Amino acid sequence: GQQVMQIPQYQHVQEGEDFTTYCNSSTTLSNIQWYKQRPGGHPVFLIQLVKSGEVKKQKRLTFQFGEAKKNSSLHITATQTTDVGTYFCASSWGSNYQLIWGAGTKLIIKP
Amino acid sequence: DSGVTQTPKHLITATGQRVTLRCSPRSGDLSVYWYQQSLDQGLQFLIQYYNGEERAKGNILERFSAQQFPDLHSELNLSSLELGDSALYFCASSPSGPHEKLFFGSGTQLSVL
């Protein structure tokens, strides 16, 4: 079946350092969505990318969709404690109604 | 506030029992999705309904069933509960399909003792 591989599983950073999570697929994706789940919370939609090579920014967050639409990344510049949580990517293929989720990357700020 | 309402927030029950989780989607949303999230794990898709009809099915156990009613609220029924069913169950909604962003409820934390 379709899969989206997301790495790393965890990333420990010092506050102020950058953070990146990657999602990869062996097949072309229709789109990719990114969600953030704070500890004890529910997933919250961040952004959707649709076009090949698309880059979108939200303040310190930069989202990219690969040229071949098989990979995507989320980069956070100068992490803050409010960035703590798990970041998930999710995607669908063609007319497939099922949204396939990555395993998530947990961002942990070192004390 | 996402606009998606889930009840109850917490549920404690014993093995072998049956429970019903309820979800009210955002006003106007026709699609409802159910997800299971075990402790510190990812989101496991269970099932999706669109305007009262089942549209997609994930790794949902035969002991689990769901439905979406004419008023678009949905219920997830879990029966013959096992310890391993303890998890956070999320409901999400979207206007029509998964090509749109999903709005998640706050979840129901199920503990099976």
Side-chain angles (χ1 to χ4, degrees):
Chain A
Q2 308 286 11
Q3 276 192 315
V4 174
M5 304 303 294
Q6 186 173 1
I7 57 169
Q9 189 176 359
Y10 300 93
Q11 190 165 357
H12 295 75
V13 299
Q14 298 277 5
E15 189 174 2
E17 291 182 338
D18 292 356
F19 162 86
T20 305
T21 173
Y22 302 89
C23 284
N24 297 288
S25 168
S26 59
T27 56
T28 303
L29 305 170
S30 297
N31 58 58
I32 193 141
Q33 299 177 11
W34 286 93
Y35 292 79
K36 176 184 178 181
Q37 184 177 21
R38 294 179 184 272
H42 58 274
V44 174
F45 175 84
L46 294 176
I47 209 160
Q48 176 167 275
L49 305 175
V50 179
K51 299 177 184 175
S52 166
E54 191 169 12
V55 178
K56 287 188 177 181
K57 294 191 176 185
Q58 291 179 351
K59 298 182 181 178
R60 295 176 293 102
L61 278 61
T62 302
F63 304 84
Q64 293 189 323
F65 202 7
E67 293 290 342
K69 298 181 72 173
K70 291 183 177 181
N71 58 76
S72 181
S73 64
L74 158 59
H75 180 83
I76 303 177
T77 304
T79 54
Q80 299 175 359
T81 55
T82 53
D83 297 323
V84 162
T86 301
Y87 293 83
F88 292 97
C89 63
S91 185
S92 57
W93 282 259
S95 60
N96 189 333
Y97 292 115
Q98 187 171 336
L99 198 60
I100 306 298
W101 292 75
T105 296
K106 193 169 187 176
L107 169 57
I108 299 164
I109 304 279
K110 297 177 190 175
Chain B
D1 181 11
S2 67
V4 179
T5 304
Q6 285 189 252
T7 56
K9 291 193 183 304
H10 302 277
L11 201 48
I12 302 174
T13 188
T15 54
Q17 295 298 305
R18 172 188 169 94
V19 296
T20 298
L21 313 183
R22 183 188 168 99
C23 170
S24 293
R26 284 191 329 151
S27 177
D29 284 357
L30 299 178
S31 277
V32 169
Y33 311 76
W34 285 99
Y35 287 88
Q36 179 193 57
Q37 186 175 44
S38 300
L39 190 61
D40 281 344
Q41 298 296 308
L43 291 159
Q44 297 300 316
F45 170 70
L46 296 178
I47 198 162
Q48 180 203 350
Y49 281 84
Y50 173 77
N51 203 21
E53 296 200 0
E54 181 184 307
R55 178 171 265 187
K57 200 175 239 188
N59 296 325
I60 187 166
L61 299 172
E62 284 192 11
R63 300 183 286 108
F64 296 0
S65 65
Q67 54 183 327
Q68 186 179 27
F69 295 87
D71 68 351
L72 300 178
H73 91 270
S74 179
E75 293 181 355
L76 178 66
N77 300 296
L78 315 176
S79 62
S80 303
L81 285 167
E82 302 175 359
L83 296 177
D85 297 327
S86 294
L88 192 50
Y89 291 83
F90 286 112
C91 167
S93 75
S94 71
S96 60
H99 292 82
E100 305 152 326
K101 62 183 179 181
L102 269 56
F103 294 85
F104 281 80
S106 299
T108 294
Q109 180 67 59
L110 173 66
S111 298
V112 182
L113 306 178

